[in-house]
């Protein structure tokens, strides 16, 4: 049964009327997303859905914004709609759908979606996260190593490496990966979460709360 976007999201365009922004809603959403303004992204996307309801790019960006905010259910709904609109892109969009299930705490479905297909960096990260959630730490580490061999500066993969080290009790190596994840060009939220956990474990309350 198809899911529908929350009523609150559908009502947002009314609130935007006259706000002074210019340009197509999708372009405004893309600019907001690039700046890390995910709530604003979703507001602009509500207008974009109203204007171009059958544009899969709108649903894909909505899924990415929802994932950035930890809203796995909305991300799943949005990416499933994107696949409905562009079924020929189902394989390339599978990682977003898998990510949505990881965020919802459903690693088994995430791994089933990823299957045996070749992984890019993003897919490797989602596969590793799902394996860590499934308590398959050794398999997760193999995937993380594969990803780091391809891109050793990926902040999210470095953060996952630190999570693995924490899970296996190696705090010293977790600290190293945590520092590397923050030193990358674009540290992600996982990097800050990891370093907060490390600081909490080490009793550094000020750092953990920063």
């Amino acid at each position: 049964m198809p899911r529908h976007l929350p009523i609150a999201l559908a009502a947002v365009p009314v609130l935007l009327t006259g706000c002074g922004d210019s340009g197509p809603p999708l372009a405004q959403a893309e600019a907001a997303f690039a700046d890390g303004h995910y709530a604003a992204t979703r507001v602009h996307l509500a207008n974009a859905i109203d204007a171009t309801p059958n544009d899969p790019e709108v649903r894909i960006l909505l899924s990415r914004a929802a994932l950035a905010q930890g809203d796995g259910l909305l991300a799943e709904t949005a990416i499933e709609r994107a696949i409905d609109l562009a079924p020929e892109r189902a394989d390339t969009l599978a990682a977003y759908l898998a990510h949505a299930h990881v965020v919802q705490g459903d690693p088994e479905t995430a791994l089933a979606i990823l299957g045996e297909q070749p992984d890019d960096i993003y897919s490797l990260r989602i596969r590793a996260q799902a394996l860590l959630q499934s308590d398959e730490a050794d398999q997760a580490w193999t995937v993380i190593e594969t990803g780091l061999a391809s891109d050793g500066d990926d902040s999210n993969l470095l953060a996952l490496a630190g999570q693995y080290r924490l899970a296996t009790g190696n705090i010293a190596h977790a600290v190293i990966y945590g520092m590397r994840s923050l030193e990358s060009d674009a540290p992600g939220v996982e990097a800050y979460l990891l370093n907060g956990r490390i600081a909490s474990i080490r009793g550094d309350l000020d750092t953990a709360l920063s």
Side-chain angles (χ1 to χ4, degrees):
M1 178 180 296
R3 296 189 178 99
H4 300 283
L5 294 177
I7 293 174
L9 180 63
V12 168
V14 177
L15 303 178
L16 284 176
T17 303
C19 68
D21 288 335
S22 59
L26 179 56
Q28 295 179 51
E30 290 170 339
F33 185 85
D35 290 336
H37 300 152
Y38 304 122
T41 300
R42 288 170 60 167
V43 169
H44 291 305
L45 286 172
N47 277 345
I49 288 171
D50 187 54
T52 55
N54 295 322
D55 184 351
E57 297 301 330
V58 174
R59 310 295 176 146
I60 293 168
L61 187 56
L62 177 57
S63 179
R64 294 175 64 195
L67 288 170
Q69 292 187 305
D71 190 340
L73 182 57
L74 177 58
E76 179 188 357
T77 303
I79 207 64
E80 284 181 342
R81 180 57 178 150
I83 293 171
D84 287 342
L85 293 168
E88 72 281 1
R89 298 173 64 182
D91 287 346
T92 59
L93 297 176
Y96 292 118
L97 185 57
H99 192 174
H101 282 281
V102 166
V103 171
Q104 294 178 77
D106 183 9
E108 291 80 8
T109 300
L111 291 170
I113 290 168
L114 292 172
E116 300 299 326
Q117 64 184 14
D119 290 322
D120 56 18
I121 289 294
Y122 176 55
S123 298
L124 285 169
R125 174 162 63 87
I126 303 310
R127 189 183 297 278
Q129 285 180 300
L131 288 167
L132 283 173
Q133 281 188 0
S134 302
D135 294 324
E136 298 288 351
D138 290 341
Q139 292 184 47
W141 180 246
T142 299
V143 174
I144 292 167
E145 284 188 313
T146 300
L148 291 177
S150 175
D151 184 357
D153 293 323
D154 185 271
S155 174
N156 289 308
L157 274 174
L158 289 166
L160 278 178
Q163 290 178 29
Y164 168 83
R165 292 305 189 188
L166 279 183
T168 55
N170 193 330
I171 296 177
H173 281 183
V175 170
I176 292 171
Y177 282 115
M179 292 175 61
R180 288 180 59 191
S181 69
L182 289 177
E183 291 167 355
S184 66
D185 290 338
V189 64
E190 296 295 335
Y192 294 103
L193 291 174
L194 168 65
N195 282 278
R197 287 183 61 197
I198 292 171
S200 178
I201 290 170
R202 299 172 75 183
D204 187 351
L205 183 59
D206 290 339
T207 300
L209 294 176
S210 66

